[in-house]
Amino acid sequence: MVDNELRKQAHDLDVTVWVGKSGIEAVTEELRDQLEDRKLVKVKFLRAARGGTSTEELAGELAESVNAELVETRGNTAVYH
């Protein structure tokens, strides 16, 4: 599927996973489960999770850890496929 299509679909999605001070390890199972149930999952990276790391970096690490495609990052939010 074309990334533009996925981005359009992601626009109206609600955030269903929040990454907080426990970091990405705390949400990998949840994200994996949600990706099995639906095509796209929107994740919000809270300030506590970011520390000195960029959202893009964290989003990339999370995508790798759940073996998902990172569709886009916008602000502190990322969309996975």
Side-chain angles (χ1 to χ4, degrees), residues 8-57:
K8 277 185 204 154
Q9 291 173 24
H11 182 73
D12 295 327
L13 272 186
D14 289 328
V15 172
T16 53
V17 176
W18 286 263
V19 180
K21 64 183 175 207
S22 304
I24 59 175
E25 295 79 21
V27 300
T28 51
E29 282 304 311
E30 178 62 29
L31 180 57
R32 215 175 264 130
D33 290 348
Q34 288 193 26
L35 283 165
E36 281 178 23
D37 294 341
R38 54 182 86 110
K39 192 163 62 173
L40 294 171
V41 177
K42 196 178 267 189
V43 177
K44 175 96 172 183
F45 293 88
L46 304 174
R47 186 180 297 127
R50 294 193 307 273
T53 315
S54 73
T55 299
E56 288 77 15
E57 257 180 90

Side-chain angles (χ1 to χ4, degrees), residues 41-45 55 59 70 72-74 76-80:
V41 177
K42 196 178 267 189
V43 177
K44 175 96 172 183
F45 293 88
T55 299
L70 177 60
E72 73 172 336
T73 57
R74 183 170 292 171
N76 300 317
T77 309
V79 177
Y80 296 91

